[in-house]
Amino acid sequence: MPELPEVETVARGLQRYVVGRRIISITLGKTDFIDNPAEIEHELPGRTIRSVERYGKFLLLRLTPKEDAGDRACESALLVHLGMTGMLRPHPAGQPHAKHTHVVASLDDGRELRYTDPRRFGRMAYLEGEALREELRRFGADPLEAGLEEFRARIRGKRARIKALLLDQKVLRGVGNIYADESLWKAKIHPKRLGARLRLEEVEGLYRALQGILQRAIVMRGSSIADFVDAEGQPGEYQRQHRAYGREGKACFRCKTRIRRVIVAGRSSYFCPRCQRAPRDGKSESRAKQGFGARHQKGRRASNAG
DNA sequence: CTCGATCCCTGGACGC
DNA sequence: TGCGTCCAGGGATCGA
C-alpha cells in the first residue's frame, strides 16, 4: 500500500545511498512484473543513477546515458511501482537475499539495490526519450503541487464519485485508499458524493485536508499497516494518526459514531456516517437500479477528447 | 463517460 | 498442527 507519502519516504532514503552510483550488473529473478526484462538487463549496466524522484506512486530513477551513446543520448529512467508489497532498498553485497527478491542491481560501491515484492503487484520499466515523456504524461496532477484552481477543475469537472476521483491516477497522481479515506473524513465528505456536485467550499476543504494529511504523513515517514518499511528498513508512524482507514466499528474521533465500511470504486471505504453525510441523489446510493432511475442517453455520440 | 466485475499474487487471519 | 477459505488492494482490461 505504498502511496504518495510512503513512496516519497523511500525516494528520500534512497537518494542518500544510490545517487551518483554506477550500476555494474543486473540479476533478475521472477520477471512477470517487468515491462521488458531483457531491456533492463541490457540497458542498465554501465549507467549512473543521477537522481531518485517520486512521481505519483512511482519511484523514478533518472539515469545517465550510456557512455557510447554520443549524440543519441536522451533522457532515461527506471520506473518502479511498489504495488502493494514492493520494496526497493540498498543492501551490503554479501548479505543473503530476502525471500521474493526479484531484481538485484550491483552498484560500484559494493552495495546492491534490491527489489523485493511477495505479491508482485508492482511494476518495473526502463523508459527513455519520448516513451518516457509519454508515460509520465498519462498521469494527473501531483496533489502537493496542484493549486486550488487546478484541483477544483479536476474534481468538479467529473461526475464520478469523489472517492473514485481521488483514486484515479489520471486525475491526481499518488493518492491511494488510505489517504483518500483520511482526507474525506477530515473534509467531512461522503465517499459516494459526486465530484461535480461538491460545493466550492467542500472542494476547497478537501484540497486543504488532502495536502495537510499528505504533508504530515511524509513527516511521519508514511503509514506502515502491513509491512511497509523505508529505504533504511524503518517503519513509518502515520498509521497512528489514521482517523477513518481501518477503523470499522470504532468511534469517530469527532462524534463517537461508529465508523462504517462500504465498497466504493471497488475498494473498502471507511467513513463516519454522521460527519460524512450520504448523498441524496439515487444513483450514488447504489440501490436504485430499475424503474424511473434508468435514463439512457440515446443518439449521443459525443466527440471525446476534442 | 462511468460503472462493476475479474484477474493478477501471496501472506495473514480465521474457523474447524 | 494443519488445512481450507477469505480478504487485502493498485492497476489493467472488458463488457454493460
Side-chain angles (χ1 to χ4, degrees), chain A residues 140-142 145-155 171-172 207:
Chain A
D142 186 295
E145 291 171 6
L148 175 58
E149 285 306 316
E150 179 174 17
F151 185 83
R152 181 185 294 165
R154 286 178 177 273
I155 296 301
V171 175
L172 292 171
Y207 172 77

Side-chain angles (χ1 to χ4, degrees), chain A residues 43 47 65-66 68-75 128-129:
Chain A
E43 291 291 342
R47 294 182 194 253
K66 280 207 161 171
D68 58 0
D71 40 334
R72 298 188 306 111
C74 61
E75 290 292 304
E128 61 180 28

Side-chain angles (χ1 to χ4, degrees), chain A residues 251-294:
Chain A
C252 171
F253 275 83
R254 278 185 301 243
C255 74
K256 307 300 177 207
T257 304
R258 282 171 185 265
I259 296 292
R260 284 190 51 203
R261 183 175 72 98
V262 292
I263 303 296
V264 186
R267 297 287 171 256
S268 279
S269 299
Y270 300 88
F271 70 103
C272 171
R274 181 166 169 188
C275 296
Q276 298 164 267
R277 292 294 187 184
R280 288 274 169 229
D281 29 291
K283 73 178 286 191
S284 358
E285 259 309 344
S286 71
R287 228 3 92 92
K289 224 8 183 317
Q290 316 211 306
F292 59 85

Side-chain angles (χ1 to χ4, degrees), chain A residues 48-81:
Chain A
T48 297
I49 301 169
R50 293 161 69 165
S51 65
V52 181
E53 301 165 23
R54 174 188 59 76
Y55 190 86
K57 295 177 192 171
F58 282 90
L59 291 162
L60 193 57
L61 278 66
R62 294 197 181 270
L63 306 168
T64 58
K66 280 207 161 171
E67 275 152 18
D68 58 0
D71 40 334
R72 298 188 306 111
C74 61
E75 290 292 304
S76 59
L78 181 69
L79 264 69
V80 180
H81 194 300

Side-chain angles (χ1 to χ4, degrees), chain A residues 135-240:
Chain A
E135 179 67 18
L136 298 184
R137 273 200 302 271
R138 295 174 49 217
F139 298 95
D142 186 295
L144 291 178
E145 291 171 6
L148 175 58
E149 285 306 316
E150 179 174 17
F151 185 83
R152 181 185 294 165
R154 286 178 177 273
I155 296 301
R156 296 241 302 175
K158 297 279 173 48
R159 285 183 298 277
R161 292 162 173 169
I162 185 60
K163 175 73 181 271
L165 292 176
L166 289 173
L167 294 179
D168 188 341
Q169 303 298 297
K170 295 189 291 301
V171 175
L172 292 171
R173 65 176 121 103
V175 182
N177 209 32
I178 295 173
Y179 298 101
D181 279 7
E182 291 300 305
S183 55
L184 288 171
W185 180 86
K186 183 90 184 282
K188 301 184 182 178
I189 296 171
H190 192 284
K192 287 188 177 181
R193 298 278 303 282
L194 304 187
R197 293 213 176 173
L198 295 181
R199 299 192 304 276
L200 285 173
E201 315 89 77
E202 290 178 317
V203 177
E204 184 170 348
L206 179 58
Y207 172 77
R208 304 210 181 285
L210 179 59
Q211 287 204 342
I213 284 167
L214 291 175
Q215 281 162 353
R216 187 156 160 70
I218 289 171
V219 170
M220 300 185 73
R221 309 172 67 78
S223 303
S224 294
I225 63 164
D227 41 21
F228 168 76
V229 290
D230 66 15
E232 276 126 358
Q234 298 298 312
E237 296 293 332
Y238 193 75
Q239 65 279 5
R240 299 181 190 181

